[in-house]
Amino acid sequence: KQANVAAVFTRNRFRAAPVRLAEAHLQTSASRYLVINTGNANAGTGSAGEQAALQTCQAVAERMGCTPEQVLPYSTGVIGELLPVSPLIEALPSAAQTLCPDGWAAAADGIRTTDLRPKGRSVQLNLSAGPVTITGIAKGSGMIRPDMATMLAFVATDAAIEPTLLRRLLTSAVSESFNRITVDGDTSTNDACALVATQTAGHRLIDDPTSPDAQQFSSALSDLCDDLAEMLARDGEGATKFVRVI
C-alpha cells in the first residue's frame, strides 16, 4: 500500500533550500523516500543550494525508480556552506542496499551532528482496529527553541490513517512537544518533523478525529514526541540542568 506522509517545518522566515523543496514535493506528489544528510544544512546557499537539493532528489529517484517529487530532502549541519552533492550521490548505492525494517537505531545514530547520543523511542498500542506500532527518532542539541529548533525528527507507524487527519495529529503532537522546548533561545533554518503512516497493519482506515482509535493514537503520538523532545533538551550543548515548566 502507498504510505501517507505528513510533515511540519521551521517557522523561521529564513528557511533552507531542503525545507522549501520538501514542502513543495509534499503538495505535488505522494512521497516514497526521505533522504537525509548531516554535516551541511544547505542553508543560506541561494539558487545553488536549491539546485543541490533538487539534484539529490533526482539521484534518489533514478536509483529507486520513482519521481523526484516523491523524494523529501532533509539537511542538518553547518549553515552558509554549499552542499557537496557528489558525496551524497556516491553514498546512495550503499544506503539503498542497507534499507531494512529494523534500521532505526542505525538511522538515529547516522543523523546526529553535535548530539552526544542517538535519540529514539517506540511504542505499541492496541486500537479497536487492531495492534499498531509507532516508532520515532530525532536529532538536535543546540540552537533549540520553540517553533522548532535545530532538530530533525522522523516518526513512522504501521497504522492506516487518512492524510488530512495524519497532518492534524502530527501538528497537535509537535505543538505539545518540539515546539515547547528551548536550550539556548536560538531558532534554526532546517527544522522538520515527518510522520509516515505505512498502512501495513491491515486494519480499516482511521479517518474520524473523534473516534476512540484516533484519540488513542493521538495520545500515544504526543507522548512519544514529548519523550523525544525531552531527550533533545537533556542533550543540550553544555546543559547541566533539565527544567520542566508546568
Side-chain angles (χ1 to χ4, degrees):
K1 293 181 179 180
Q2 175 63 53
N4 292 328
V5 181
V8 292
F9 300 91
T10 179
R11 296 177 185 174
N12 193 318
R13 295 181 181 180
F14 190 69
R15 301 184 307 154
V19 167
R20 298 194 302 272
L21 188 60
E23 283 187 316
H25 284 185
L26 274 168
Q27 295 172 5
T28 60
S29 189
S31 304
R32 293 281 306 279
Y33 294 95
L34 313 181
V35 57
I36 309 154
N37 78 270
T38 64
N40 187 305
N42 193 13
T45 49
S47 59
E50 295 174 357
Q51 185 61 31
L54 181 57
Q55 283 181 318
T56 304
C57 293
Q58 290 172 335
V60 173
E62 290 175 5
R63 172 156 292 276
M64 307 309 296
C66 65
T67 67
E69 291 75 22
Q70 291 178 303
V71 182
L72 303 181
Y74 298 88
S75 299
T76 180
V78 177
I79 292 174
E81 294 184 2
L82 292 178
L83 179 69
V85 178
S86 295
L88 301 184
I89 295 177
E90 291 171 2
L92 288 179
S94 175
Q97 290 174 1
T98 54
L99 285 174
C100 59
D102 59 352
W104 285 98
D109 189 51
I111 63 175
R112 289 193 298 146
T113 49
T114 59
D115 303 57
L116 296 178
R117 60 189 64 84
K119 303 167 178 67
R121 180 73 77 233
S122 186
V123 298
Q124 293 182 318
L125 55 156
N126 290 311
L127 306 179
S128 65
V132 301
T133 301
I134 312 174
T135 301
I137 59 175
K139 62 79 53 183
S141 62
M143 288 186 73
I144 302 288
R145 63 157 286 173
D147 289 344
M148 308 203 73
T150 306
M151 57 147 287
L152 297 177
F154 305 97
V155 184
T157 178
D158 54 1
I161 303 176
E162 186 271 332
T164 301
L165 176 57
L166 191 70
R167 178 170 178 79
R168 177 173 174 173
L169 294 173
L170 176 63
T171 301
S172 176
V174 167
S175 71
E176 298 174 0
S177 56
F178 299 120
N179 276 346
R180 292 188 181 182
I181 57 173
T182 184
V183 171
D184 47 21
D186 296 327
T187 188
S188 178
T189 56
N190 292 63
D191 322 312
C193 179
L195 173 59
V196 180
T198 65
Q199 307 191 79
T200 57
H203 62 78
R204 64 182 179 274
L205 182 71
I206 300 173
D207 57 4
D208 179 4
T210 64
S211 69
D213 278 354
Q215 294 179 6
Q216 184 179 351
F217 184 92
S218 178
S219 177
L221 177 65
S222 292
D223 288 346
L224 182 141
C225 289
D226 187 75
D227 287 344
L228 291 175
E230 181 174 323
M231 293 178 195
L232 300 184
R234 288 187 180 277
D235 197 23
E237 293 174 340
T240 59
K241 304 267 191 316
F242 175 81
V243 178
R244 182 182 288 269
V245 179
I246 299 176

